[in-house]
Amino acid sequence: MSVVVYTIDPAHSSAHFSVRHMMISNVKGEFTKLSGTVTFDRDNPAASQVEAIIEVASLHTRDEQRDAHLKSPDFLDAEKFPDIRFVSKSVERNGHDEYQAKGDMTIHGVTHEVTLQVEGPTAEVKDPWGNIRAGATAMAKINRKDFGLVWNVALETGGVLVGEEVKINLEVELTRHPA
């Protein structure tokens, strides 16, 4: 049987992002709480399905004031929109153990199609407790303004405080459901 159903292990998975700050450097952050399921069909990738949920309140950028601002109504509005979601609509093989997962990403209550470039899943291993696990990495770039995240400040020397392009990197450890 080539179809395997996995659960994203929240204790061993994370979602990272980076965005330009003042047009000169990248600020990085992560969301430490994510969950979801992956139904993977190695023989027929088109039958595969991915659903991931990221908890906005779990955002960390190593600066409490910036974290509070990013969780505020100026940006993600964590109170009103507690989750970021991705639900795939199609999965296509794009090389050996590489795939494109196209789907709907919802951020700040706005949904747009996003393509994740996926590496993996890795070969499965058995952990010390008898669970079967695999891992995967997914990357995408989005324009934050497409999702209604438009807050910014013009800089005196030209340019803006926060860039529009956001790079997303998901690192997930997957636990296989019993057959």
Side-chain angles (χ1 to χ4, degrees):
M1 176 183 278
S2 67
V3 178
V4 181
V5 178
Y6 296 101
T7 300
I8 295 173
D9 177 353
H12 296 101
S13 301
S14 60
H16 300 91
F17 66 90
S18 67
V19 64
R20 280 281 194 206
H21 179 250
M22 294 179 43
M23 318 260 316
I24 58 171
S25 66
N26 287 309
V27 169
K28 296 181 180 185
E30 75 174 311
F31 296 92
T32 58
K33 293 186 179 178
L34 67 144
S35 60
T37 57
V38 176
T39 302
F40 181 63
D41 188 334
R42 190 173 298 279
D43 295 335
N44 181 18
S48 299
Q49 179 73 26
V50 178
E51 181 172 2
I53 303 163
I54 299 169
E55 187 179 310
V56 173
S58 72
L59 179 145
H60 292 283
T61 65
R62 299 181 308 149
D63 183 299
E64 288 182 24
Q65 188 175 11
R66 179 173 49 220
D67 294 351
H69 191 207
L70 290 172
K71 294 174 193 178
S72 80
D74 281 347
F75 284 98
L76 294 168
D77 200 352
E79 192 171 310
K80 188 173 181 183
F81 305 105
D83 298 322
I84 295 171
R85 293 181 178 265
F86 177 82
V87 178
S88 67
K89 297 191 290 190
S90 69
V91 177
E92 297 175 7
R93 188 178 312 277
N94 193 29
H96 180 70
D97 288 332
E98 293 182 2
Y99 301 87
Q100 283 188 341
K102 290 183 183 179
D104 289 331
M105 183 171 282
T106 303
I107 302 173
H108 194 246
V110 178
T111 302
H112 281 284
E113 185 173 275
V114 171
T115 300
L116 297 176
Q117 302 299 326
V118 181
E119 295 176 3
T122 63
E124 293 183 330
V125 298
K126 185 183 282 191
D127 70 18
W129 303 274
N131 300 303
I132 305 298
R133 295 181 176 265
T137 299
M139 295 157 281
K141 291 179 185 177
I142 63 168
N143 185 316
R144 66 186 181 88
K145 288 186 170 185
D146 292 344
F147 295 91
L149 306 174
V150 297
W151 184 94
N152 222 333
V153 172
L155 298 174
E156 182 179 317
T157 55
V160 291
L161 186 64
V162 182
E164 292 180 16
E165 182 182 82
V166 180
K167 295 177 184 174
I168 299 168
N169 183 29
L170 303 168
E171 297 286 342
V172 297
E173 188 168 307
L174 306 164
T175 305
R176 186 168 76 182
H177 286 216

